[in-house]
């Protein structure tokens, strides 16, 4: 060992012994390497360092050396070297210090600046010396090359074995390895039933969360096989969560495919500038190995692809264009199916009114993303009703088949749930019998073991009794099997599909699921000029159809009187007064825009709004009050006086209307004589004459 670089100044500082192994399994299984690294303390003692100046850093055991961030002792080592507190750093080889070129060269630079030695099994090196620095750089490069060769060799071997479908890895629940078949279905029927129930329920609900709700509602558990630890290889049952359902649906192994390379490790930088490895899923086209039909599966490959499409449609984040979504809560029947005819994006439901009673469909992408105006919005109940009627009319020829298929589906679902409960009870009873046999086979003299086994037996019996009670509660909640008479009634009800569609027991989600079985999407085109909406229906089979829906008018347009009614009023106003016109309209059964009977004031408003003149009701030989006052050269007050005293008679055709006075020749002579003999009128005329003369003189 070359020891010339070691000086007394180095021995006056600390001798740091750095220990590291990449994984915990190496620490546990390769203890010789750990002993060799701890033995470097004896080397430091032989080189002249006193025991109190030897620092052992071993907190990085079991941690990879590819990064500095997650190694606290390596960070401490760099800090102590920077503070010039360390005289020499001991390690078996360069790869023990760091697997990263950046960290390795940084440490070498710091050691060269602070006069710190690097000592391994080959000797002592002074990083400040050119030759030693060159050798240390070569060792760091060789460490990186070694890591690269190991990785390439291991990954190449794994990939080559995976391409033949022989690489073994932990199987998902529902599969086990068997010889010589390879991957087979789990022989436990309860496990198979639970996995099949997940896929069957997802096929019905089209929602992973719906599967979770179904299992929780029926108090069903889901298995999980443990790998590693004391539970290695054992099956444990627990509640099904959303993540487990997504993992099952996205795993192609359940479709009988052998896949390798579904996930890939990528590097990214954190906000603090540190590099981290992240694992992200790869698209199907980028899988390194994809061998279909390699082992038995629970679903077909086509069903697997369909499930992936449904999961993608259920995502609400991001811009998904015209892709529909799964049936969700809410009364909006066409939620997830409507597509905007202008921008091609999906319309969103909006609930307004008290408790969201009124549904509107609107295209709010432009307003949300570009802060602009929405394409349009339209009332949802009109579109829902039109599409519902079209669906019901399309289902009329197949109503009987639908009823029989629904009945068979209900019976199959109930049978699957009951079968799963029976398997669950059988498993619990087996555990109880196994505990009983263990207790009976134990030596009675061994009281400690017998007491423990007796407790386990009692615990198993309590679990069996608890499961039986839960099963009874489940049976009480479930509907009884349909009798032949009830099945006949169901077939009769199939002839009244509209009533079943509108029944209170039929939820909005059920109607949406029926629509998604028949319709792929609906493109909405709105025509404001004609107050119409055109629904371009695209059926699942590829056929297209247009459905025309009349949209409600605006409030002002709804209350505006139609031109036909205005023309009728204009025609009647030539000879009739307002009251007569209102009576005629009511007799014909006509009503106002608000559904009320016509009155004289309403007819008068129509005439005023549309400038319809009042009828001329003067008969031959009749005089108005003004005309009569001019005829006799008196004021209109005199005429009203004559009317009050009964000297003349007047006719008023309509209330508050104009009065018409008829005169006979005798009445005309009497009025003329009355005017001539009236002293008040004579004085008034004299006063008017004097006022006229005075004004002329002025």
């Amino acid at each position: 060992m070359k020891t010339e670089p070691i000086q007394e100044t180095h021995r006056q500082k600390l001798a740091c012994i750095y220990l590291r192994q990449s994984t915990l399994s190496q620490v546990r299984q390769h203890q010789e390497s750990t002993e060799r690294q701890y033995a470097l303390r004896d080397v430091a003692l032989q080189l002249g360092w006193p025991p109190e100046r030897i620092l052992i850093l071993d907190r990085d055991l079991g941690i990879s050396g590819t990064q500095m961030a997650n190694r606290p002792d390596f960070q401490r080592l760099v800090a102590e070297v920077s503070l010039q507190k360390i005289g020499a750093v001991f390690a078996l080889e360069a790869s023990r210090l760091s697997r990263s070129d950046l960290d390795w060269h940084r440490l070498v630079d710091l050691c060269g600046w602070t006069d710190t030695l690097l000592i391994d099994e080959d000797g002592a090196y002074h990083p400040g010396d050119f030759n030693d620095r060159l050798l240390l750089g070569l060792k760091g490069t060789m460490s990186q090359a070694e890591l690269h060769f190991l990785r390439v060799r291991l990954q190449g071997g794994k990939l080559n074995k995976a391409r033949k479908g022989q690489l073994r890895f932990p199987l998902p629940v529902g599969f086990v390895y068997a010889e010589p078949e390879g991957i087979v279905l789990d022989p436990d029927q309860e496990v198979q039933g639970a996995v099949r129930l997940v896929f069957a329920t997802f096929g019905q609900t089209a929602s992973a969360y719906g599967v979770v709700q179904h299992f929780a509602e029926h108090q069903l558990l889901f298995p999980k096989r443990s790998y590693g630890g004391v539970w290695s290889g054992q099956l444990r049952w627990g509640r099904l969560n959303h993540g487990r359902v997504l993992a099952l649906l996205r795993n192609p192994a359940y479709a009988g495919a052998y896949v390798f390379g579904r996930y890939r490790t990528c590097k990214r930088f954190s906000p603090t500038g540190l590099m981290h490895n992240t694992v992200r899923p790869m698209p199907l086209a980028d899988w390194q190995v994809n061998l279909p039909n390699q082992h038995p599966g629970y679903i077909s490959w086509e069903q697997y692809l369909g499930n992936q499409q449904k999961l993608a449609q259920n995502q609400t984040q991001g811009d998904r264009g015209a892709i529909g979504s799964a049936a969700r809560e809410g009364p909006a029947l066409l939620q997830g199916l409507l597509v905007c005819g202008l921008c091609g994006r999906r319309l969103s439901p909006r609930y307004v009114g008290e408790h969201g009673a009124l549904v509107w469909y609107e295209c709010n992408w432009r307003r949300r993303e570009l802060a602009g105006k929405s394409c349009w919005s339209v009332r949802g109940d009109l579109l829902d009703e039109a599409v519902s009627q079209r669906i019901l009319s399309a289902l009329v020829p197949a109503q009987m088949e639908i009823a029989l298929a629904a009945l068979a589906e209900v019976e199959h679902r109930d049978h699957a749930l009951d079968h799963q409960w029976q398997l669950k009870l059988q498993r619990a009873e087996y555990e109880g019998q196994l505990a009983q046999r263990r207790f009976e086979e134990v030596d009675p003299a061994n009281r400690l073991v017998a007491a423990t086994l007796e407790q386990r037996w009692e615990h198993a019996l309590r679990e069996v009794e608890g499961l039986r009670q839960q099963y009874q509660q489940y049976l009480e909640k479930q509907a009884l099997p349909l009798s032949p008479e009830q099945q006949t009634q169901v077939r009769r009800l199939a002839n009244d599909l509209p009533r079943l569609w509108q029944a209170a027991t039929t939820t909005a989600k059920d109607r949406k699921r029926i629509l998604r079985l028949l319709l792929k999407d609906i493109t909405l085109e709105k025509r404001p000029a004609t107050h119409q909406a055109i629904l371009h229906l695209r059926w699942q089979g590829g056929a297209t159809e247009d459905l025309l829906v009349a949209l409600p008018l605006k409030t002002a347009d709804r209350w505006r009187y139609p031109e036909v009614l205005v023309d009728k009023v204009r025609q009647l106003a030539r000879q009739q007064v307002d009251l007569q016109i209102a009576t005629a309209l009511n007799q014909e059964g006509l009503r106002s825009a608000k559904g009320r009977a016509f009155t004289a004031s309403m007819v008068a408003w129509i005439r005023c709004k549309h400038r319809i003149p009042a009828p001329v009701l003067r008969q031959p030989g009749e005089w108005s009050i003004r005309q009569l006052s001019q005829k006799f050269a008196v004021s209109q007050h005199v005429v009203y006086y004559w009317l009050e005293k009964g000297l003349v008679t007047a006719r008023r055709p309509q209330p508050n209307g104009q009065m018409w006075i008829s005169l006979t020749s005798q009445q005309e002579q009497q009025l003329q004589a009355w005017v001539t003999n009236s002293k008040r009128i004579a004085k008034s005329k004299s006063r008017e004459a004097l006022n006229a003369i005075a004004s002329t003189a002025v």
Side-chain angles (χ1 to χ4, degrees):
M1 179 181 294
K2 185 177 65 172
T3 61
E4 291 79 1
I6 302 176
Q7 304 295 330
E8 189 62 30
T9 55
H10 297 133
R11 296 186 179 91
Q12 293 176 359
K13 300 178 182 179
L14 295 176
C16 181
I17 301 175
Y18 181 75
L19 285 74
R20 187 191 64 78
Q21 285 180 276
S22 298
T23 62
L24 292 176
S25 62
Q26 290 181 357
V27 177
R28 183 172 59 250
Q29 299 175 6
H30 303 284
Q31 298 182 3
E32 291 80 5
S33 176
T34 307
E35 293 178 0
R36 290 179 60 198
Q37 295 184 69
Y38 276 112
L40 292 175
R41 183 177 182 276
D42 299 333
V43 176
L45 292 174
Q46 295 175 5
L47 294 177
W49 269 274
E52 64 274 6
R53 292 182 185 172
I54 298 177
L55 176 63
I56 298 178
L57 302 178
D58 57 359
R59 288 192 300 170
D60 290 348
L61 285 171
I63 301 177
S64 174
T66 56
Q67 293 184 14
M68 174 182 177
N70 56 353
R71 291 191 290 162
D73 271 354
F74 186 77
Q75 295 177 2
R76 180 184 176 185
L77 172 64
V78 174
E80 297 291 345
V81 171
S82 302
L83 296 175
Q84 300 182 5
K85 295 182 179 181
I86 296 180
V89 178
F90 288 79
L92 287 181
E93 53 191 17
S95 62
R96 297 294 180 182
L97 289 174
S98 179
R99 286 287 192 177
S100 171
D101 272 345
L102 178 63
D103 297 339
W104 167 254
H105 288 290
R106 182 183 302 168
L107 177 63
V108 172
D109 288 340
L110 290 175
C111 291
W113 296 336
T114 59
D115 191 23
T116 303
L117 303 180
L118 292 177
I119 301 176
D120 60 9
E121 288 188 325
D122 295 331
Y125 305 93
H126 193 298
D129 182 73
F130 174 78
N131 293 325
D132 290 351
R133 177 65 178 269
L134 180 63
L135 186 57
L136 289 174
L138 180 60
K139 284 196 171 186
T141 304
M142 292 178 61
S143 175
Q144 285 290 315
E146 177 189 11
L147 192 64
H148 171 74
F149 293 144
L150 289 174
R151 184 184 300 110
V152 170
R153 190 180 302 119
L154 293 175
Q155 292 295 333
K158 290 175 63 176
L159 182 59
N160 183 66
K161 201 168 186 179
R163 286 171 178 168
K164 297 183 294 184
Q166 299 177 357
L167 180 64
R168 287 199 172 190
F169 42 77
L171 294 176
V173 64
F175 294 99
V176 294
Y177 285 110
E179 296 295 344
E181 296 88 352
I183 301 176
V184 296
L185 299 182
D186 196 311
D188 193 329
Q189 295 185 1
E190 187 179 5
V191 175
Q192 292 188 25
V195 175
R196 296 184 191 279
L197 187 59
V198 168
F199 289 101
T201 307
F202 182 76
Q204 298 170 3
T205 61
S207 170
Y209 188 71
V211 177
V212 178
Q213 285 183 320
H214 183 77
F215 270 71
E217 180 181 355
H218 296 89
Q219 300 179 1
L220 297 177
L221 301 179
F222 195 79
K224 178 180 180 181
R225 191 172 298 280
S226 300
Y227 292 96
V230 296
W231 298 96
S232 180
Q234 297 188 17
L235 209 61
R236 307 187 68 183
W237 294 80
R239 297 185 60 181
L240 183 64
N241 55 38
H242 186 255
R244 293 290 307 280
V245 176
L246 291 178
L248 262 72
L249 297 175
R250 292 171 177 169
N251 197 331
Y254 291 99
Y258 182 92
V259 174
F260 179 78
R262 288 174 55 212
Y263 297 92
R264 191 166 299 176
T265 303
C266 302
K267 298 183 181 298
R268 67 177 182 87
F269 288 95
S270 65
T272 58
L274 298 178
M275 187 173 59
H276 298 278
N277 292 330
T278 58
V279 179
R280 63 183 182 91
M282 304 301 296
L284 189 147
D286 295 339
W287 292 353
Q288 294 177 307
V289 177
N290 185 8
L291 305 177
N293 302 323
Q294 290 296 301
H295 57 81
Y298 290 87
I299 57 176
S300 64
W301 182 253
E302 290 74 18
Q303 288 177 318
Y304 170 77
L305 296 179
N307 292 342
Q308 306 314 302
Q309 184 178 4
K310 291 180 181 178
L311 292 176
Q313 293 174 358
N314 292 346
Q315 295 179 0
T316 57
Q317 299 89 353
D319 180 20
R320 298 182 293 112
I323 300 178
S325 63
R328 302 182 183 275
E329 292 74 10
L333 189 62
L334 304 182
Q335 165 261 327
L337 293 177
L338 283 177
V339 179
C340 178
L342 292 179
C343 64
R345 289 174 173 81
R346 195 179 56 165
L347 274 70
S348 302
R350 179 166 60 93
Y351 301 98
V352 298
E354 186 177 0
H355 304 296
L358 188 60
V359 180
W360 283 77
Y361 294 111
E362 63 178 4
C363 181
N364 56 8
W365 172 85
R366 187 178 300 172
R367 181 181 61 187
R368 184 181 67 249
E369 300 294 337
L370 305 178
K373 186 178 180 182
S374 299
C375 293
W376 55 44
S377 61
V378 63
R379 275 184 53 179
D381 54 343
L382 302 176
L383 305 185
D384 293 349
E385 181 64 23
V387 175
S388 299
Q389 295 299 327
R390 181 65 189 94
I391 291 298
L392 293 177
S393 62
L395 293 178
V396 168
Q399 287 183 4
M400 183 59 66
E401 290 77 4
I402 293 174
L404 296 177
L407 186 61
E409 180 65 25
V410 171
E411 293 177 350
H412 177 72
R413 182 187 60 186
D414 294 342
H415 176 73
L417 290 174
D418 186 74
H419 180 66
Q420 198 66 21
W421 269 101
Q422 294 293 339
L423 295 177
K424 190 175 181 180
L425 286 173
Q426 291 180 12
R427 177 174 56 84
E429 292 174 353
Y430 169 77
E431 295 292 340
Q433 295 173 0
L434 181 61
Q436 180 182 1
R437 290 198 303 270
R438 290 174 177 173
F439 173 74
E440 292 175 349
E441 293 174 359
V442 71
D443 186 3
N446 194 347
R447 297 175 178 265
L448 297 178
V449 176
T452 302
L453 294 178
E454 184 179 8
Q455 292 177 359
R456 293 180 180 177
W457 183 21
E458 293 177 354
H459 178 71
L461 293 178
R462 285 195 298 268
E463 285 190 352
V464 172
E465 186 62 26
L467 281 178
R468 288 175 179 172
Q469 294 178 1
Q470 294 178 9
Y471 180 60
Q472 292 299 326
Q473 295 175 359
Y474 163 77
L475 292 178
E476 293 175 358
K477 294 180 180 179
Q478 292 297 110
L480 297 176
L482 297 181
S483 61
E485 294 79 8
Q486 291 174 332
Q487 296 180 9
T488 304
Q489 293 178 2
V490 170
R491 293 183 175 90
R492 292 175 181 174
L493 287 175
N495 297 324
D496 193 7
L497 187 59
R499 189 172 66 177
L500 294 177
W501 180 271
Q502 300 294 340
T505 55
T506 304
T507 63
K509 184 178 287 188
D510 295 334
R511 300 187 186 97
K512 295 177 186 179
R513 291 171 181 168
I514 295 176
L515 286 182
R516 280 158 175 75
L517 294 176
L518 300 175
L519 294 175
K520 184 173 294 184
D521 56 48
I522 303 174
T523 302
L524 174 63
E525 182 182 354
K526 190 176 180 181
R527 296 181 178 178
T530 58
H531 300 285
Q532 292 177 336
I534 301 179
L535 299 176
H536 303 282
L537 307 181
R538 188 158 66 116
W539 301 85
Q540 290 290 355
T544 58
E545 179 182 352
D546 293 343
L547 190 62
L548 191 64
V549 180
L551 299 179
L553 302 175
K554 297 181 179 179
T555 303
D557 295 334
R558 291 200 306 268
W559 290 358
R560 183 178 292 112
Y561 291 101
E563 291 296 331
V564 178
L565 180 64
V566 175
D567 292 340
K568 192 172 189 63
V569 172
R570 183 180 288 107
Q571 181 181 2
L572 294 175
R574 297 175 182 175
Q575 299 178 354
Q576 298 182 8
V577 297
D578 294 345
L579 182 59
Q580 294 173 340
I581 296 175
T583 303
L585 296 177
N586 292 332
Q587 289 177 354
E588 293 183 12
L590 300 177
R591 290 294 181 267
S592 67
K594 296 183 179 181
R596 301 175 183 174
F598 285 97
T599 61
S601 61
M602 295 169 62
V603 176
W605 187 90
I606 294 175
R607 289 195 303 100
C608 177
K609 181 68 177 178
H610 297 276
R611 298 181 180 180
I612 301 175
V616 180
L617 303 177
R618 179 183 177 183
Q619 297 180 0
E622 291 184 336
W623 304 79
S624 65
I625 293 178
R626 182 179 180 182
Q627 292 173 347
L628 195 61
S629 65
Q630 293 176 354
K631 176 179 177 60
F632 291 100
V634 296
S635 66
Q636 295 184 12
H637 298 288
V638 176
V639 179
Y640 283 112
Y641 176 78
W642 292 342
L643 290 172
E644 183 180 356
K645 296 301 182 180
L647 299 177
V648 294
T649 58
R651 180 176 64 86
R652 191 190 296 270
Q654 55 183 351
N656 300 326
Q658 192 173 8
M659 293 187 296
W660 300 99
I661 302 173
S662 59
L663 294 177
T664 62
S665 57
Q666 182 179 0
Q667 287 177 333
E668 185 176 353
Q669 294 176 1
Q670 291 177 355
L671 292 177
Q672 187 64 47
W674 187 90
V675 171
T676 304
N677 297 331
S678 176
K679 296 180 179 180
R680 180 176 296 180
I681 295 176
K683 290 180 180 179
S684 176
K685 290 183 177 180
S686 300
R687 190 180 299 110
E688 292 178 357
L690 292 174
N691 292 336
I693 294 172
S695 62
T696 304
V698 174

